[in-house]
Amino acid sequence: MTNVTTKTVPAHLAIIMDGNGRWAQKRGLPRAMGHKKGAETVKEITRACGELGIKYLTLYAFSTENWQRPPEEVDTLMGLLRDYLKSDLKEIQENGVRIRFIGERYMLDSDIAGQMEKLEQETAANNKMTLCIALSYGSRQEIIAAARKIAAMAKAGQISPEDIDIKMFSDMLYTRDIPDPDLVLRTSGEQRVSNYLLWQLAYAELFFTPTLWPDFTKAELEAVLTDYSNRERRYGKV
Ligand code: FPP
């Protein structure tokens, strides 16, 4: 398991952290406990990614659809995020990590949005690794926002329809300064992408594990990376 070399490590790993609720249910605990344990896994796996030489890590922390969960569960998740942004990210920041957020910020409480802005500014010059947190994020919403910006530019006569190409469209997305993911990992056995980085995943390798997110470990991550390093990526060519 330690034979993962930097050469074969994906530059960008995107994770769908799923299964917190089921982890808690299996133990007869409230769902909130699953999220709490999941937040600990976030720290362990972020550290592991830095050690393994992954340059970009994107974590799906809260989707636009998650706003429809019961209010007390939304409060639990927002409370955990608040703690994470206020204290845990300090350690990350000290380790040369650049922090970025993608998603609809106007939906978030102003103290959370303010803290996000501050962290992005304070870590902008860090270059060991980029940690991108998808918060209040939905990929279709992101694509629509990009289409609206482009339509407004066209209406204003700033661009013509022929100017719209893959690069230009990519530059209108939240992820404009982040390369596309090479590998997407989803925990908990569900095999779907759930409105996550739909444009950016065009050529990504997909990996699904039955392990619930709170049980996911660095050792399993290394096994996933070994599987990835044995895959042949052809990008539609022979
Ligand atoms: C899925 O579990 C997980 C989420 C809703 C988001 C991930 C949140 C965390 C890991 C905790 C806080 C995050 C940070 C960055 C501190 P689920 O509730 O959908 O699980 P289930 O499908 O088993 O019900």
Side-chain angles (χ1 to χ4, degrees):
M1 286 218 196
T2 46
N3 62 349
V4 180
T5 66
T6 35
K7 208 177 90 203
T8 56
V9 161
H12 185 173
L13 168 67
I15 307 184
I16 301 178
M17 311 180 286
D18 197 7
N20 295 346
R22 275 163 285 168
W23 183 90
Q25 258 157 14
K26 264 175 49 180
R27 289 164 177 76
L29 296 169
R31 291 174 60 80
M33 294 307 289
H35 294 313
K36 201 159 175 273
K37 183 76 169 48
E40 283 169 29
T41 308
V42 166
K43 284 179 246 169
E44 188 194 328
I45 296 302
T46 303
R47 211 173 288 135
C49 285
E51 287 161 10
L52 291 163
I54 290 171
K55 294 298 278 181
Y56 295 85
L57 171 66
T58 300
L59 299 175
Y60 208 173
F62 194 87
S63 71
T64 43
E65 292 73 23
N66 287 156
W67 289 114
Q68 287 152 36
R69 292 195 176 195
E72 53 286 5
E73 182 161 346
V74 171
D75 282 353
T76 297
L77 284 164
M78 288 300 146
L80 284 170
L81 284 163
R82 208 172 252 116
D83 292 349
Y84 178 69
L85 297 177
K86 295 231 165 87
S87 49
D88 302 332
L89 281 186
K90 286 222 173 67
E91 177 202 326
I92 291 170
Q93 197 172 335
E94 282 156 15
N95 287 326
V97 177
R98 180 174 72 130
I99 296 156
R100 289 273 285 104
F101 295 93
I102 56 172
E104 298 186 329
R105 294 182 193 211
Y106 66 90
M107 302 278 290
L108 297 159
D109 284 351
S110 58
D111 68 309
I112 293 186
Q115 184 67 7
M116 287 158 61
E117 185 83 36
K118 189 167 163 259
L119 285 166
E120 281 185 331
Q121 282 171 11
E122 284 175 0
T123 63
N126 289 353
N127 57 14
K128 185 171 175 274
M129 177 185 167
T130 295
L131 171 63
C132 177
I133 301 173
L135 199 43
S136 190
Y137 175 83
S139 185
R140 286 182 164 181
Q141 292 82 344
E142 176 185 36
I143 291 169
I144 286 170
R148 284 188 181 153
K149 272 189 245 166
I150 294 169
M153 286 162 72
K155 198 175 167 196
Q158 293 160 347
I159 55 160
S160 60
E162 303 75 54
D163 294 327
I164 304 168
D165 59 14
I166 291 172
K167 164 90 176 65
M168 197 253 210
F169 201 92
S170 298
D171 286 346
M172 295 291 158
L173 300 170
Y174 296 134
T175 49
R176 61 188 68 84
D177 53 348
I178 295 171
D180 288 345
D182 301 289
L183 175 65
V184 184
L185 164 68
R186 183 173 189 149
T187 57
S188 93
E190 309 295 348
Q191 302 194 6
R192 47 180 178 263
V193 288
S194 300
N195 205 16
Y196 191 44
L197 304 168
L198 301 178
W199 168 278
Q200 297 87 340
L201 296 190
Y203 291 102
E205 295 292 323
L206 308 179
F207 194 99
F208 302 99
T209 170
T211 305
L212 303 174
W213 176 250
D215 289 329
F216 195 73
T217 59
K218 183 182 181 188
E220 186 170 355
L221 174 64
E222 287 181 313
V224 172
L225 296 185
T226 301
D227 178 284
Y228 169 83
S229 70
N230 292 325
R231 294 190 190 187
E232 192 193 351
R233 299 182 74 196
R234 293 205 298 266
Y235 301 94
K237 300 172 201 146
V238 286

